[in-house]
Amino acid sequence: MHEMECRVLSIQSHVVRGYVGNKSASFPLQVLGFEVDSINSVQFSNHTGYSHWKGQVLTADELHVLYEGIKLNNVHHYDYVLTGYTRDTSFLEMVVDIIQELKRANPNLVYVCDPVLGDHGSMYVPQNLHPVYKNKVVPVADIITPNQFEVMDLLHKMGPDTVVITSSDLPSRLGDRFLVSLGSQRTSKWRVRMEIPKVDAVFVGTGDLFAAMLLAWTHHYPNDLKTACEKTFSVMHHVIQRTISYAHELAGPGRRPSPPQLELRMVQSKADIEDPAIVMEATVLTL
Amino acid sequence: MHEMECRVLSIQSHVVRGYVGNKSASFPLQVLGFEVDSINSVQFSNHTGYSHWKGQVLTADELHVLYEGIKLNNVHHYDYVLTGYTRDTSFLEMVVDIIQELKRANPNLVYVCDPVLGDHGSMYVPQNLHPVYKNKVVPVADIITPNQFEAELLTGKNISTEKDAVEVMDLLHKMGPDTVVITSSDLPSRLGDRFLVSLGSQRTMMPDGTKSTQRVRMEIPKVDAVFVGTGDLFAAMLLAWTHHYPNDLKTACEKTFSVMHHVIQRTISYAHELAGPGRRPSPPQLELRMVQSKADIEDPAIVMEATVLTL
């Protein structure tokens, strides 16, 4: 069997413990056979939902230095770039510069961007990131994964061909224990809708895993957003179910699991990552 | 099937591109079901065997800050610690302090240490790391993976024969670790000069309180290329296979050396394909074919047999 040769540059956070940022994206992509080069934008002990967190951040200059090293060796050739949660405008602007250069080196490069701004009506990154995403980042993105809040200000016509609204508060036809996700792919004219079971817990790292898996499944199904979404949402379901069962086991009856207990059961979900059983069907919307 | 619950803290380099340090250790351990917490001691663009490399290093203080974060959340409970190439004595000393604290939190913690000092007769880390390894690091290690040069340097004794190697491994046991694997030596192989000799020794406590030592020897095919990251992969895989075979060094070594063989063979084939006929592959071309070797990592076919030494 001829091996897949596909190289991803992922620029995200690193946590010593747990599964967010690059920790959430790298292993599943590697398990699916992607080569993953990773630039760690920060190194923290754990994600910021725990009681405590400590660590160091990478500056825009330091990011540039790392990229220079790659370029000097003439190995700056990527099929995909993947980015997520960022808090610093100069860092984000350096990311855009790098992506523009990488796209000149490979015009077929696909930039998958989770434009993390906020959720449920409020922003959780500094306000001054908003115009950088809108004016500089999204225009060079090929796939973006905003939630409903983020997509209000971002339109297909600003650049990306594929948009997946990962979660919304649109009412679900299956009742209030479900949320609605929407996907849209401009050139293939797919518009799909999925009813996703709600889970009564706060997870961290799931958005990062989602973007990584959407990268993988749109790579295998580039003109079939329905299948790509079914695969992606299904793998999310398997990982989340495994995680919530284990978290409740650890917490004990009647107790709410803590952030450490809610870390995604990533390595334990390898078989589901490799070949996710489809557990939900996307509805194709006709407009 | 009940899931394995085993957590490793790995403190090694991170490279953006390629497979050394934590990049070499994490994926294979995760594929085998280990939870891997990783502290990146440096972040470089790539390993230092390329024409160019750039990046940043973590200071001993920054290492301590990260550890503090873990401890404040009361999640500083590990089954294993894994360390490799380090260039800084204060960083190494901070690593030892952390390990001692982790061992107080879990007395059954196993510290797997690759005491990287040099090879082929010369040191490639600063000289002042030698006493730190000898006096502070090795004494708290449980499993070490020196090459012949490092084993000689740590014990002050030369290895010219198999008997010398056994004595050196016994000296290393006395310093601390119950498991020692001399990953490569220039002892003559019974299979000829296209093979090198590796040796291992594991000391276990018997129920009656006496110590029993199992010693093994392996003939490893030489490869005509310079690989980087193979020592890091070796230590990680020895961690995994001694975990599954804690009292059977023969099997643990056969699994570990076999997975090394599969990864290296896949890598060298691919490197020659990329380089073209008659050309020596370059460092980028020689990066380990790690993700492509997932199946071999999960379940390595045994391709070499360890001989148990009877002394």
Side-chain angles (χ1 to χ4, degrees):
Chain A
M1 188 181 104
H2 193 72
E3 277 161 1
M4 185 168 87
E5 281 305 323
C6 200
R7 191 172 284 268
V8 179
L9 175 64
S10 181
I11 306 174
Q12 304 198 55
S13 313
H14 171 80
V15 284
V16 172
R17 180 190 205 274
Y19 297 100
V20 302
N22 270 335
K23 276 287 222 56
S24 193
S26 297
F27 175 72
L29 281 170
Q30 290 175 307
V31 155
L32 286 170
F34 290 81
E35 283 280 355
V36 182
D37 286 11
S38 47
I39 294 180
N40 297 322
S41 57
V42 308
Q43 177 166 224
F44 288 165
S45 52
N46 42 266
H47 71 68
T48 57
Y50 283 55
S51 313
H52 308 273
W53 55 273
K54 283 188 183 288
Q56 300 90 27
V57 303
L58 200 69
T59 65
D61 282 343
E62 288 168 333
L63 166 61
H64 186 245
V65 161
L66 287 169
Y67 173 67
E68 280 292 300
I70 296 288
K71 205 167 75 156
L72 283 165
N73 290 304
N74 198 26
V75 290
H76 55 302
H77 305 287
Y78 295 101
D79 302 292
Y80 288 90
V81 176
L82 178 61
T83 68
Y85 183 64
T86 308
R87 290 194 64 82
D88 181 285
T89 50
S90 60
F91 192 91
L92 196 51
E93 285 170 333
M94 180 62 68
V95 167
V96 174
D97 288 346
I98 288 170
I99 288 168
Q100 285 171 325
E101 208 173 287
L102 291 175
K103 283 196 166 195
R104 286 193 288 275
N106 174 18
N108 296 320
L109 185 147
V110 174
Y111 170 33
V112 181
C113 169
D114 185 3
V116 182
L117 289 166
D119 205 352
H120 299 118
S122 62
M123 292 191 75
Y124 45 61
V125 300
Q127 292 268 0
N128 56 1
L129 257 73
H130 188 152
V132 182
Y133 271 111
K134 184 172 157 178
N135 301 321
K136 297 192 184 183
V137 178
V138 174
V140 299
D142 300 285
I143 297 176
I144 61 169
T145 59
N147 56 35
Q148 181 186 28
F149 167 77
E150 290 153 350
V151 82
M152 281 186 231
D153 287 307
L154 301 168
L155 306 166
H156 258 309
K157 61 176 180 258
M158 295 183 75
D161 186 56
T162 303
V163 176
V164 177
I165 300 178
T166 53
S167 62
S168 74
D169 50 20
L170 296 170
S172 167
R173 62 190 58 151
L174 298 179
D176 59 10
R177 288 176 64 201
F178 287 79
L179 60 87
V180 173
S181 301
L182 298 153
S184 171
Q185 196 167 56
R186 190 169 40 186
T187 46
S188 67
K189 296 192 170 42
W190 281 103
R191 279 203 156 80
V192 296
R193 172 191 174 110
M194 303 191 72
E195 321 291 318
I196 311 294
K198 288 184 187 170
V199 186
D200 184 23
V202 176
F203 292 106
V204 187
T206 41
D208 306 319
L209 178 60
F210 184 88
M213 293 299 88
L214 189 68
L215 181 160
W217 293 113
T218 53
H219 177 76
H220 290 301
Y221 296 95
N223 298 307
D224 183 357
L225 187 62
K226 178 180 188 295
T227 302
C229 281
E230 286 170 349
K231 293 269 191 187
T232 305
F233 279 103
S234 291
V235 70
M236 297 304 301
H237 175 83
H238 295 304
V239 175
I240 285 171
Q241 286 304 313
R242 182 173 284 105
T243 302
I244 195 84
S245 296
Y246 185 71
H248 280 134
E249 231 182 270
L250 285 183
R255 305 191 67 167
R256 288 197 77 75
S258 65
Q261 294 171 331
L262 280 164
E263 287 289 356
L264 298 177
R265 294 296 272 167
M266 188 73 74
V267 301
Q268 298 77 11
S269 300
K270 185 183 68 170
D272 291 316
I273 291 167
E274 284 167 333
D275 189 16
I278 305 301
V279 292
M280 50 190 76
E281 210 189 320
T283 315
V284 179
L285 303 177
T286 45
L287 303 164
Chain B
M1 187 181 107
H2 193 72
E3 278 161 359
M4 185 167 87
E5 281 305 324
C6 198
R7 189 172 287 268
V8 180
L9 174 63
S10 179
I11 306 175
Q12 304 197 53
S13 314
H14 171 80
V15 285
V16 173
R17 181 191 206 274
Y19 296 98
V20 301
N22 269 335
K23 276 286 222 55
S24 191
S26 297
F27 176 74
L29 282 169
Q30 290 175 307
V31 155
L32 287 169
F34 289 81
E35 283 280 357
V36 182
D37 285 11
S38 48
I39 295 181
N40 298 321
S41 57
V42 309
Q43 177 164 227
F44 288 164
S45 51
N46 41 264
H47 70 69
T48 57
Y50 283 54
S51 313
H52 308 273
W53 54 274
K54 284 188 181 287
Q56 300 91 27
V57 303
L58 200 71
T59 65
D61 282 341
E62 289 169 331
L63 167 62
H64 187 245
V65 161
L66 288 169
Y67 173 67
E68 279 293 297
I70 297 287
K71 205 167 75 158
L72 282 166
N73 290 302
N74 198 24
V75 289
H76 56 302
H77 304 286
Y78 294 101
D79 301 293
Y80 288 89
V81 175
L82 177 61
T83 68
Y85 182 66
T86 308
R87 290 193 67 81
D88 181 284
T89 51
S90 59
F91 192 91
L92 196 52
E93 284 171 333
M94 181 62 67
V95 166
V96 173
D97 288 346
I98 289 170
I99 289 168
Q100 285 171 323
E101 208 174 284
L102 292 175
K103 283 195 166 194
R104 285 193 289 275
N106 173 17
N108 295 321
L109 185 147
V110 173
Y111 170 32
V112 179
C113 169
D114 186 2
V116 181
L117 288 161
D119 205 352
H120 301 121
S122 61
M123 287 187 75
Y124 48 58
V125 301
Q127 294 264 0
N128 56 0
L129 259 74
H130 176 202
V132 181
Y133 271 109
K134 186 168 155 176
N135 302 322
K136 297 192 186 183
V137 179
V138 173
V140 298
D142 299 287
I143 297 176
I144 58 169
T145 60
N147 55 36
Q148 176 178 344
F149 172 71
E150 291 157 350
E152 290 172 336
L153 198 59
L154 288 167
T155 56
K157 186 178 159 60
N158 266 7
I159 296 174
S160 306
T161 62
E162 184 184 275
K163 182 166 171 294
D164 291 339
V166 170
E167 281 173 23
V168 163
M169 291 192 291
D170 282 345
L171 286 170
L172 289 167
H173 284 314
K174 278 207 183 61
M175 289 170 73
D178 283 338
T179 303
V180 176
V181 177
I182 298 179
T183 52
S184 61
S185 74
D186 50 31
L187 291 172
S189 168
R190 61 190 62 149
L191 298 180
D193 61 2
R194 289 175 63 198
F195 287 78
L196 61 86
V197 173
S198 301
L199 294 135
S201 177
Q202 189 170 61
R203 184 162 288 191
T204 41
M205 186 78 80
M206 304 301 288
D208 64 2
T210 58
K211 285 200 175 161
S212 154
T213 307
Q214 187 195 40
R215 299 179 180 93
V216 297
R217 173 191 172 114
M218 304 192 73
E219 324 290 319
I220 310 294
K222 288 182 183 170
V223 187
D224 183 27
V226 175
F227 291 106
V228 186
T230 41
D232 304 326
L233 177 60
F234 183 88
M237 294 299 88
L238 189 68
L239 182 161
W241 293 113
T242 53
H243 176 76
H244 290 301
Y245 297 96
N247 300 308
D248 182 0
L249 186 62
K250 177 180 187 297
T251 302
C253 281
E254 286 169 351
K255 295 270 192 186
T256 304
F257 279 102
S258 292
V259 70
M260 296 304 301
H261 175 83
H262 295 303
V263 176
I264 285 171
Q265 287 304 312
R266 181 172 283 105
T267 302
I268 196 87
S269 296
Y270 185 71
H272 280 133
E273 230 184 271
L274 285 183
R279 306 190 66 167
R280 286 196 78 74
S282 65
Q285 294 171 333
L286 281 163
E287 287 286 2
L288 297 176
R289 295 292 275 168
M290 192 71 77
V291 303
Q292 297 78 8
S293 299
K294 184 183 68 173
D296 291 319
I297 292 165
E298 284 167 336
D299 190 13
I302 305 302
V303 292
M304 52 190 77
E305 212 188 318
T307 316
V308 177
L309 302 180
T310 44
L311 300 165

